Each structure stands twice: as C-alpha cells, then as structure tokens.
Amino acid sequence: MTQPTLPFVELGPATPHHTIIWLHGLGDDGHGFAPIVPELKLPADQAIRFVFPHAPMRAVTINGGYVMRAWYDILEIGDLSRKLDEANIVESVQAIHQLIDAEISRGVPPSRILLAGFSQGGLIALSAGLTYREPLAGLIALSTYWPDMQHPSLAPDPTHRAVPIFCAHGEVDTVVRPELGHAAFNRLRTAGYTATWHAYDMGHEVCWDEIHDLSAWIQARFADQT
C-alpha cells in the first residue's frame, strides 16, 4: 500500500466504498472538521471513509513568521490579492496526491474519491484534484480562492472538466473576501470546468444550510455507486 507522508485523522468503515479527503484551513488541524461527519447525515450504505490530514508546521510570513499548520506560506495579503509560496503549494499538492494513491491502494477507485477543503485547504483541494493523473468524483472548495499560478505542475488538466466542483462562500466573509471566491468560480467556469456557486449569509465559517447542501451534493455524487 502507498504510504502517505502526512499524518491524518480517519473516520468511517475499514472497508469503504467511497472516500472524502478533507483539508483544513490555516492554523487548524485535521481534527477541526472531523465533527462535521455526523452532521452531514450521510447514508450508511454509501460506506464513506473520511480522511482529515494535518498540514505541515511552517512559518507564516503574514503572521509574523509564527509557526503553525499551513498548507503554504502567505507572503503578502490584500483585500483581493495574495502573494503565495508556490513551492509550498506544489509540496502540499504532491502530499495530497499520495493520500489519494493510498486510498486507491485500499481499493477505492478515483471515481469514488472526493477532495474537500476550507480556505487554504480549498486552494489545495482544487489544485490537487485538477492535477491528479485521473479524474476524481468531485471537488469541494469552501470559503477559498484559486489564483492563476505559474508553476507548470499546478496547471489544471483540461481532461478533468467534467469533474463536479462545489464552490461555496460566506457573503460577509472578511478573511477571504467573497469576491475572491467568486473570481475562483468564474475562472473555473471560463475554463470549462463543471463548477456551481453557493453563497450563504455567514462569515469565514460553515453554516447549517451549507452542511445541508453539501450532504445532498455528496449523496448525489455517490448515488449510483453503492
């Protein structure tokens, strides 16, 4: 079996039909989103395994060099812009690809694997999902952004355009402005990817309406694969 380099929290059956790999935001860890699993109320017969990896510990420039869990360093920040360490993003994408490989080694094919991410984790979920060697079941990008990055390994694969992408954002998010999230959605749609936009009356967080919509969306992705 492929051995991933990232530590992670796992929930669900030992022999899953499907897997959701869920990436946390800046300064959080894999435990942060684990409580969402029972709230999604997903049917037991879909036998979904959840994997919540911990991002590496690294110094974050915009936080005065403070060391915390981060998928990448943020060098500068503006209302509608971010200067990011793309080498860190490449490393994190490769680590998520290893997690996907590990699930495939367990017997879960790419067509039954979802990637989800919040904030920083959403950028990595989009980047990893759209550069993996095979299309996945879908991608979930929550309260995040997705700039045009220059590293060649981060270029999205046009053969993945049919992969469903759930883009969601809080309309009063002051950490990652909703304009950034909508710009990411527009970039995906302009490039021909199958993205949908979901806006909620919330800040930089998740809410019950969003969880309800995510549950329905996930069940639809896996409906014919039980």
Side-chain angles (χ1 to χ4, degrees):
M1 179 184 294
T2 301
Q3 295 299 320
T5 57
L6 291 174
F8 54 87
V9 176
E10 57 184 316
L11 297 172
T15 307
H17 292 305
H18 311 90
T19 297
I20 298 176
I21 301 172
W22 199 302
L23 314 184
H24 62 77
L26 177 64
D28 200 0
D29 63 24
H31 295 282
F33 273 95
I36 203 172
V37 174
E39 305 303 336
L40 289 167
K41 296 180 171 59
L42 298 169
D45 63 357
Q46 289 192 336
I48 300 171
R49 165 178 151 90
F50 283 82
V51 176
F52 298 97
H54 305 298
M57 299 292 290
R58 68 173 87 245
V60 178
T61 301
I62 62 162
N63 288 342
Y66 189 81
V67 175
M68 61 183 65
R69 292 203 179 275
W71 297 107
Y72 51 85
D73 189 15
I74 304 176
L75 306 173
E76 295 178 9
I77 190 168
D79 282 347
L80 297 177
S81 66
R82 301 285 192 278
K83 184 177 179 182
L84 313 176
D85 188 322
E86 288 195 14
N88 291 167
I89 295 173
V90 171
E91 292 168 3
S92 290
V93 165
Q94 291 172 345
I96 300 306
H97 285 177
Q98 290 178 345
L99 283 173
I100 298 170
D101 290 342
E103 292 306 301
I104 294 171
S105 296
R106 291 169 63 96
V108 183
S111 62
R112 296 187 178 196
I113 297 174
L114 283 172
L115 279 187
F118 176 82
S119 198
Q120 265 205 353
L123 184 151
I124 299 301
L126 285 172
S127 299
L130 295 178
T131 58
Y132 193 66
R133 64 178 182 270
E134 296 182 61
L136 303 180
L139 305 174
I140 298 169
L142 306 178
S143 303
T144 192
Y145 52 97
W146 193 53
D148 185 10
M149 292 174 282
Q150 302 306 307
H151 195 283
S153 71
L154 298 176
D157 188 337
T159 66
H160 293 5
R161 285 176 173 152
V163 173
I165 305 172
F166 184 105
C167 298
H169 218 101
E171 294 179 313
V172 290
D173 190 337
T174 58
V175 177
V176 177
R177 295 269 298 274
E179 293 90 340
L180 281 167
H182 208 269
F185 166 73
N186 284 337
R187 182 182 166 218
L188 289 163
R189 293 288 293 181
T190 300
Y193 292 91
T194 311
T196 55
W197 178 253
H198 308 262
Y200 301 93
D201 183 17
M202 64 179 186
H204 197 60
E205 57 193 319
V206 296
C207 67
W208 289 112
D209 286 345
E210 184 179 32
I211 291 171
H212 177 269
D213 293 345
L214 276 170
S215 176
W217 188 87
I218 291 167
Q219 291 181 61
R221 300 286 75 73
F222 294 154
D224 298 324
Q225 300 179 342
T226 55

